[in-house]
Structures are given as C-alpha cells and as structure tokens.
Amino acid sequence: MKDPTELFELADEVGMIPEGLPLVAALTGFTDAGAAVSQFGDYVLDTLNNRVVAEFDADTLLDYRARRPIVDFDQDHLTDYQPQTLRLFLVSDEIGQQFLFLHGFEPDFRWEQFTAAVLGLVDRFQVKTTTWVHAIPMPVPHTRPISVTVSGNRVELTDAMSVWRPHTQVPANALHLVEYRLQQLGHPVAGFVLLIPHYLADTEYPLAAVASLESISAATGLIFPTDRLREEGREFLTKIDQQVKSNTELEKLVGTLEERHDSYMENAGLRSPLTDEDGELPSADEIAAELENFLAIKRRGDDSGPGFVGL
C-alpha cells in the first residue's frame, strides 16, 4: 500500500486542534435516501462555525466520469467550475463544543489507502469516538418516526436505538470499511443507518436530516440547531399527506405499511418490519412489484408537491 498521507494535505494550523474530539463522518455517493446525508452535511457547514483541517486528493480518489463536476456556462463562455471535494473540518456545535467532521464524496478508488488515512488522522488527533450516518430506502410509512439500525461496538447505542437488527449481506461503502477497521482496533465507533420510506427516497426529505442530527447527538452529545429543518419537515409532510389522501390506493398502501410497522414495534426484536402478518418476508420480486404498482398509481395521479421515488 502507498503512503496514506499522500492522499490528503493538512492545513498549517492543525497543531492548534485539541486532542480527544469526536469525529463525525457523512459521505455521499452510494446511497442517500431522502438526501439525508447531503442535507445533514450542508446543514452542519451552513449553520455552524467551521474551517478546513485537511483536504483529500480528488484526482486520486474520484471517478470523474461517474460523478461529473459542474460547470457554469454563460452564453458563450464558462464562468465557474465546481469540483467534488472531500474534506475534514473542525466544527463548533451550537454551544461551542468542537468536533471533527469528514464530509464530501465517497471515494471511488483506493479504499484501503483511504481507510488507513482516516485511521491515521484518528490516531493523530486522538479522536474520542467516530460516528457516521447514511440512509437507505425501506418499505416503512412516513407517518411514523424515522427508525435506525446501529452498527459498531457501542452497545449502549445499539441497545437503545437499533430498531431493526438483520442478519444479512449488503453492498459496502467506504465508511463500512473504516468502521470495520476501527472496530478491530477497539476504537469506539457507531454507524447509523436511517430507514427512509421507499416512496420518499428520491426526494429531499427534511426530517431525514433531522434524524441524522438526532442520531449524531445521541452518540456524541453534540447540540445542533434543528428548528428550521423541523418546520420544513412539517410542511413537507403536509404536502405528502394531501397527496396520499387524494388517492385511495396510495392511502391503502400507507395504511398497510403502518400496520406492519406498528405490529413490529409492539414485538420489537421478534421480526423485521418487512414481514407480513404470518411473519414471512416478501421476496425481492414482491417488493419490486409493490414499488412498480406504487409508481404506476402515482403517474396516473397528481404530480404536484414534493414528489415520490423515481419521479
């Protein structure tokens, strides 16, 4: 493996960063249902004091043809170029508590070298805990609080917050590997997977960002301002409820998801919220058929409002 420190450049004043801060990570790329991760990252950097501690080399880690940068075109010439970035920030929360924040694109290449680089930064700054968040679409209703699955070695978080604990294999992202390596070292690490209603997966769902902030708060004690996001979330849900109530088939679908969710929560830990009344998991074909039916119903209905997955 090449030297991990070749992947990033440190700011000149890193010697002033105190040791023992928590590290929070939010990388976009593989899956970001409800735009939970991107909203979370933007909200942190837009509302809290921050400065760049380190910047990773995009030319080494990013597949530009898979995630093309944006350029601004003004009539007959280019006026701006907006590259993808991956940076480590020093941030202060609402009451002045500092933390390190790793945010930007998920690396396409050199995962082992990137992971070694992150572990090196964890060691350099004597990071107290590492927490990260991502979000996946699930057949759950928007009328219930967003649930999470917690991974890592912080048992107190898993016991208190992890609603769904599957035995399964999933496609990994780069932070899965970081978590795995940190866990091998005995470093306190937790990953939060937000379970987002599948029909809202391709929308910008404000309450998904709120759930991200709440999860990080529970793991770190950091305090985030969320009033604006909560208000946006209430307005968003009002529009979604109006769309659902205007279509009896959509209303029936949401009602079915509510029944499955409530039944699971009454017997938490006994079966997955995806199971039917007999405790059977739907097949991949059944889930796909339900999604196709949902989308077909939506296409025949009113397309106004925030919109649903795939539209």
Side-chain angles (χ1 to χ4, degrees):
M1 182 192 301
K2 294 184 178 180
D3 183 357
T5 62
E6 294 178 355
L7 288 182
F8 61 87
E9 184 175 344
L10 291 169
D12 292 337
E13 61 272 20
V14 291
M16 303 295 291
I17 297 174
E19 294 183 349
L21 299 180
L23 170 64
V24 176
L27 303 184
T28 59
F30 173 59
T31 180
D32 188 14
V37 178
S38 56
Q39 287 187 92
F40 167 63
D42 291 344
Y43 198 69
V44 166
L45 296 179
D46 289 344
T47 60
L48 299 175
N49 291 328
N50 64 84
R51 59 184 175 89
V52 176
V53 171
E55 179 148 9
F56 284 81
D57 183 3
D59 277 351
T60 301
L61 296 174
L62 180 65
D63 181 352
Y64 284 90
R65 291 193 295 179
R67 287 180 282 181
R68 294 182 182 270
I70 301 299
V71 295
D72 292 344
F73 189 85
D74 184 6
Q75 298 187 46
D76 60 358
H77 66 284
L78 302 179
T79 59
D80 193 21
Y81 170 73
Q82 303 169 41
Q84 297 262 5
T85 60
L86 174 54
R87 294 166 173 159
L88 182 67
F89 298 85
L90 178 65
V91 186
S92 296
D93 75 356
E94 194 169 29
I95 60 174
Q97 298 178 104
Q98 291 184 312
F99 65 100
L100 296 169
F101 184 46
L102 181 64
H103 179 57
F105 65 85
E106 177 195 6
D108 294 305
F109 308 115
R110 301 198 182 186
W111 277 20
E112 290 287 358
Q113 189 181 10
F114 169 73
T115 297
V118 174
L119 266 60
L121 290 168
V122 166
D123 181 65
R124 179 188 183 105
F125 297 116
Q126 291 297 293
V127 167
K128 181 179 180 182
T129 62
T130 298
T131 311
W132 66 287
V133 63
H134 68 132
I136 61 174
M138 293 284 280
V140 293
H142 72 279
T143 52
R144 300 294 185 267
I146 295 174
S147 297
V148 298
T149 290
V150 187
S151 60
N153 55 12
R154 297 188 59 184
V155 179
E156 76 280 8
L157 295 174
T158 304
D159 289 346
M161 301 180 67
S162 194
V163 170
W164 185 45
R165 307 183 190 186
H167 294 277
T168 187
Q169 291 183 322
V170 296
N173 65 46
L175 288 177
H176 280 122
L177 181 56
V178 171
E179 176 187 316
Y180 183 67
R181 298 293 187 222
L182 287 173
Q183 186 171 294
Q184 288 179 318
L185 296 173
H187 173 82
V189 59
F192 288 90
V193 184
L194 277 59
L195 311 180
I196 305 298
H198 62 274
Y199 49 90
L200 301 180
D202 283 352
T203 69
E204 193 167 280
Y205 185 21
L207 292 182
V210 173
S212 298
L213 292 163
E214 290 177 338
S215 297
I216 298 300
S217 291
T220 62
L222 296 168
I223 306 298
F224 301 104
T226 60
D227 289 348
R228 177 172 64 81
L229 280 174
R230 292 181 190 278
E231 179 59 30
E232 291 174 358
R234 286 189 286 268
E235 294 174 358
F236 182 93
L237 288 182
T238 297
K239 294 177 181 179
I240 293 295
D241 287 338
Q242 290 171 350
Q243 291 187 32
V244 170
K245 290 178 181 178
S246 68
N247 188 304
T248 55
E249 292 185 77
L250 292 178
E251 195 169 28
K252 182 178 179 181
L253 173 61
V254 173
T256 299
L257 295 175
E258 288 175 336
E259 290 176 5
R260 288 184 181 180
H261 176 276
D262 294 346
S263 177
Y264 171 75
M265 293 303 291
E266 289 176 3
N267 304 280
L270 296 181
R271 70 172 190 268
S272 164
L274 306 185
T275 56
D276 62 18
E277 300 255 337
D278 298 320
E280 296 295 325
L281 279 167
S283 67
D285 289 341
E286 288 171 332
I287 292 176
E290 186 175 75
L291 287 171
E292 284 298 320
N293 182 54
F294 182 90
L295 295 175
I297 292 168
K298 184 63 181 74
R299 292 188 189 103
R300 294 195 300 268
D302 178 14
D303 286 337
S304 64
F308 292 101
V309 59
L311 301 181

